[in-house]
C-alpha cells in the first residue's frame, strides 16, 4: 500500500499504524483490554513493535502476568523489530531467546533505523515495571518513554505513552516536528484533557489522536473535553477520535 498513513485504535493505548510503505507498527498492544474489538491472536502482521513502558496495560497482560503479555505472543508469531529501553530489552532477550524477534535495546534521545522507519525514543513522565511472575518482588523494566516514528514519506508520528504534560515537550516539538501526536487524556494515571491540550500547544502539533481514555470509568477524560480545552488556550488542534477498530487516515 502506498496511499498514505492509516491507523486503527483498539481502545486504551493500543494503536496499529500502517505506513505509506505498507509497514505495520504496533504501539502498546494490549488487545486484551476490556474495550478492544480485536483479539491479540488475530494480529497477523507486525513489522515494528513499540511498547512505551513495562506496565501490564501497555505490554498487554493482566497485572503481575507480563510474561504472558500480548506484546510477547504477537512478537513470537510475527517476528518484528522491537526497539525498547535498555532494561526492558534485557528482560525481553531472556524471555524471547532464539525466537527470531529482533530486540533492539536503546535509550532516550537515540534513533534507530529499522524496517524502513526511523524510531526515536523520547522521555515520558510516569513510572514503569511490574511484579515478578512468582510474586517475590518487583520486576524492574526500565523507565517509561515516548516514541517519534519517522515514516517513509518523512512524516513524523509522536506517541507519548503514559505521561504528565512537561515543558520539554516543547523541545520534542522543535527537534522532531511531529505531524501527529497520540496523547493520553484519561486522567488519574496520566494527564487529562487540559494537560493534553497544553501538550499539543507545546509540541506545536495540529492533529491529536487521544488515547488512554474510556477503558475504565476512572479514565474519564473525553475527546470533546480535549477539543474544548484546546480551544480555551488557542492550541488550534484538530482532535481525531475514531471508534475502536475503525481504520482512519492521518493527514
Ligand atoms: Zn497506562
Amino acid at each position: 500500500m502506498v496511499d498514505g498513513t492509516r491507523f486503527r485504535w483498539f481502545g486504551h493505548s493500543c494503536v496499529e499504524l500502517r505506513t505509506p510503505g505498507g509497514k505495520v507498527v504496533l504501539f502498546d498492544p494490549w488487545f486484551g483490554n476490556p474495550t478492544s474489538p480485536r483479539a491479540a491472536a488475530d494480529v497477523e502482521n507486525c513489522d515494528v513493535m513499540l511498547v512505551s513502558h513495562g506496565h501490564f496495560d501497555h505490554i498487554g497482560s493482566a497485572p503481575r502476568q507480563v510474561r504472558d503479555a500480548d506484546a510477547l505472543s504477537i512478537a513470537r508469531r510475527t517476528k518484528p523489530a522491537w526497539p525498547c529501553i535498555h532494561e526492558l530489552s534485557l528482560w525481553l532477550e531472556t524471555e524471547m531467546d532464539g525466537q527470531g524477534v529482533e530486540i533492539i535495546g536503546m535509550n532516550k534521545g537515540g534513533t534507530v533505523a529499522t524496517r524502513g522507519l526511523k524510531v526515536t525514543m523520547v522521555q515520558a513522565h510516569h513510572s514503569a515495571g511490574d511484579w515478578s511472575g512468582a510474586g517475590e518482588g518487583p520486576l524492574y523494566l526500565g523507565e517509561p518513554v515516548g516514541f517519534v516514528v519517522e515514516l517513509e514519506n518523512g512524516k513524523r508520528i509522536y506517541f507519548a505513552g503514559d505521561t504528565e504534560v512537561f515543558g520539554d515537550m516543547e523541545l520534542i516539538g522543535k527537534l522532531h516536528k511531529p505531524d501527529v501526536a497520540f496523547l493520553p487524556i484519561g486522567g488519574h494515571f496520566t494527564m487529562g484533557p487540559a494537560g493534553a491540550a497544553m501538550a499539543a500547544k507545546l509540541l506545536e502539533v495540529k492533529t491529536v489522536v487521544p488515547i488512554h481514555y474510556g477503558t475504565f470509568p476512572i479514565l474519564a477524560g473525553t475527546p470533546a473535553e480535549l477539543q474544548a480545552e484546546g480551544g480555551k488556550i488557542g492550541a488550534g488542534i484538530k482532535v481525531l477520535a475514531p471508534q475502536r477498530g475503525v481504520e482512519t487516515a492521518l493527514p
Side-chain angles (χ1 to χ4, degrees):
M1 280 298 207
V2 286
D3 58 348
T5 309
R6 294 159 295 151
F7 77 98
R8 285 190 286 178
W9 175 62
F10 292 97
H12 210 61
S13 296
C14 180
V15 172
E16 177 197 75
L17 186 73
R18 286 189 179 262
T19 75
K23 296 293 195 311
V24 175
V25 181
L26 290 183
F27 294 98
D28 289 354
W30 188 30
F31 288 95
N33 85 72
T35 67
S36 174
R38 189 187 194 189
D42 294 334
V43 177
E44 292 172 352
N45 300 306
C46 177
D47 297 291
V48 179
M49 176 74 79
L50 295 173
V51 172
S52 62
H53 61 296
H55 284 165
F56 74 94
D57 58 318
H58 296 262
I59 199 161
S61 73
R64 305 176 189 222
Q65 293 176 26
V66 291
R67 292 185 72 179
D68 301 323
D70 292 343
L72 277 68
S73 66
I74 292 167
R76 287 189 181 104
R77 201 168 60 244
T78 62
K79 320 290 186 205
W82 189 342
C84 58
I85 201 160
H86 174 67
E87 291 81 1
L88 182 56
S89 79
L90 296 179
W91 179 72
L92 285 172
E93 281 167 3
T94 304
E95 292 293 316
M96 317 282 281
D97 187 36
Q99 298 178 69
V101 181
E102 188 188 350
I103 308 291
I104 305 171
M106 63 183 302
N107 221 309
K108 291 175 266 188
T111 301
V112 300
T114 183
R115 313 284 171 110
L117 306 173
K118 288 182 190 155
V119 177
T120 299
M121 183 173 282
V122 296
Q123 66 171 316
H125 284 201
H126 192 65
S127 65
D130 200 86
W131 202 258
S132 72
E136 70 271 20
L139 179 63
Y140 178 67
L141 295 174
E143 295 190 0
V145 301
F147 296 102
V148 178
V149 180
E150 185 176 324
L151 308 178
E152 298 93 339
N153 61 2
K155 293 267 173 118
R156 292 170 180 184
I157 310 292
Y158 170 52
F159 181 90
D162 275 6
T163 188
E164 160 68 307
V165 60
F166 52 92
D168 285 352
M169 284 181 173
E170 185 178 356
L171 289 179
I172 293 173
K174 281 189 176 5
L175 195 55
H176 301 295
K177 299 181 173 54
D179 297 282
V180 177
F182 287 76
L183 302 176
I185 65 162
H188 193 90
F189 295 108
T190 69
M191 57 191 179
M198 182 59 72
K201 191 170 187 184
L202 289 166
L203 291 158
E204 294 189 47
V205 71
K206 294 304 170 201
T207 304
V208 177
V209 181
I211 54 174
H212 215 270
Y213 71 95
T215 326
F216 312 104
I218 202 172
L219 303 184
T222 66
E225 289 170 339
L226 171 61
Q227 190 71 66
E229 293 291 344
K232 278 186 208 167
I233 60 169
I237 52 173
K238 176 168 186 273
V239 176
L240 206 54
Q243 296 296 305
R244 291 167 179 82
V246 175
E247 189 165 74
T248 305
L250 287 175

